[in-house]
Amino acid sequence: KIAASLDQGSEHPLANAVVAAARARGMSLFPVLDFEVVSGIGVRGTVDGRLLAFGNTALMEEMGLSVAPLLTQAEALRSEGASVMYLAVDAELAGLLAVSDPIKESSAEALQILRASGIQILMATGDGLTTARGVGKKLGIEKIYGEVKPHDKLILVEQLQHQGHIVAMAGDGINDAPALAKANVGIAMGTGTDVAMNSAQITLVKGDLRGISIARGLSLATVANMKQNLWFAFLYNGLGIPIAAGLLYPLTGWLLSPLIAALAMSLSSVSVIANALRLRG
């Protein structure tokens, strides 16, 4: 109840899950005072006159608290793919809550399509490494980074770029915003935070990862279409301008009638538009 009361001030999906679970149990939540988001590791505030901290291992370590008494239970939950959050009350470890989010069938399909396109998949998450590995194993992701802070996600993107990679970053939270902005292509989930969507170039309205492969396919088709349209324009101008300039007049006496020139310009525009409309298919 007190953890959910604290989480009322957060937009994070895990916080929303805790609040929803408390309300589903008919709990009446306390108001929260002095609420503070500790970026990437948890939240703090005052609830019912008690100082609370709710977050991952890094937050507890920052407060000088050991999670050893609950570590065995936490690791068992993480191995099943659950995200574990510790609760501290008045600077003492009080317990833990675990949130499990089933993997969408569409996610596995989306990653398979991306791999088939030659794209390398990495996962970076603020969750514990055990949780990340549990999820990664189900999705076939080999390169996994756990307990990653927002700044570390940004550094990871920069490192990959310095290695010559073109980086696409997909995320949904406030913590993902710096990395989304830095990536060559930032992809936000429409079900995520406004900050993430404002930092990215692409927003997947339904949060379906298959939209990434659709967007990539559309991008490739658009660039190819642009090149084709340029060739159309070059062809029309390459043939029309020399004739209009009288290049063939000394040899054949041909000149380009203004009527034909106007028709050629119209056909040039029509051909470019018609070719571009093929993208609708």
Side-chain angles (χ1 to χ4, degrees):
K1 180 175 178 177
I2 59 175
S5 298
L6 176 62
D7 265 344
Q8 288 178 103
S10 175
E11 293 183 356
H12 197 283
L14 294 180
N16 293 338
V18 172
V19 173
R23 287 178 173 157
R25 289 165 172 76
M27 296 179 181
S28 179
L29 304 182
F30 297 109
V32 56
L33 303 174
D34 303 321
F35 180 79
E36 176 192 4
V37 175
V38 188
S39 187
I41 59 177
V43 293
R44 287 192 285 232
T46 303
V47 172
D48 194 28
R50 289 171 285 186
L51 297 175
L52 303 185
F54 189 42
N56 61 18
T57 306
L59 179 60
M60 297 299 108
E61 291 176 347
E62 187 177 287
M63 299 180 61
L65 299 177
S66 172
V67 298
L70 299 173
L71 191 58
T72 301
Q73 185 182 1
E75 287 299 295
L77 291 164
R78 286 171 177 155
S79 65
E80 298 173 4
S83 299
V84 173
M85 296 163 285
Y86 296 100
L87 177 66
V89 179
D90 292 329
E92 291 187 5
L93 187 66
L96 62 79
L97 281 82
V99 177
S100 179
D101 185 15
I103 299 171
K104 297 178 183 177
E105 292 183 10
S106 61
S107 297
E109 180 185 344
L111 295 183
Q112 186 176 357
I113 294 171
L114 292 173
R115 286 195 198 93
S117 302
I119 295 175
Q120 185 180 12
I121 311 294
L122 293 81
M123 181 168 69
T125 174
D127 285 332
L129 188 57
T130 304
T131 302
R133 285 174 176 165
V135 174
K137 185 177 181 181
K138 294 176 183 178
L139 292 173
I141 302 174
E142 296 181 358
K143 290 195 174 183
I144 297 168
Y145 302 83
E147 295 190 3
V148 178
K149 297 180 181 179
H151 183 63
D152 296 327
K153 291 182 181 180
L154 176 61
I155 292 174
L156 177 60
V157 170
E158 291 175 338
Q159 287 176 343
L160 291 169
Q161 289 174 333
H162 289 155
Q163 293 170 11
H165 298 292
I166 296 173
V167 181
M169 163 77 182
D172 63 356
I174 296 173
N175 302 330
D176 298 318
L180 287 170
K182 180 62 179 176
N184 298 91
V185 181
I187 305 167
M189 304 296 119
T191 53
T193 61
D194 291 339
V195 175
M197 287 186 275
N198 290 333
S199 301
Q201 291 84 38
I202 297 173
T203 298
L204 303 181
V205 177
K206 296 181 180 179
D208 189 335
L209 292 182
R210 288 176 296 187
I212 297 176
S213 59
I214 294 172
R216 181 174 181 270
L218 182 59
S219 298
L220 293 171
T222 301
V223 172
N225 195 276
M226 290 164 59
K227 292 177 179 177
Q228 292 164 7
N229 288 343
L230 281 172
W231 279 111
F232 276 129
F234 282 134
L235 179 63
Y236 276 100
N237 287 286
L239 293 175
I241 291 175
I243 297 174
L247 183 65
L248 299 180
Y249 183 76
L251 300 176
T252 63
W254 290 355
L255 286 174
L256 192 61
S257 165
L259 181 64
I260 296 176
L263 180 62
M265 286 299 296
S266 298
L267 288 174
S268 173
S269 299
V270 169
S271 63
V272 167
I273 292 170
N275 188 48
L277 286 174
R278 293 191 306 110
L279 290 172
R280 298 180 65 185

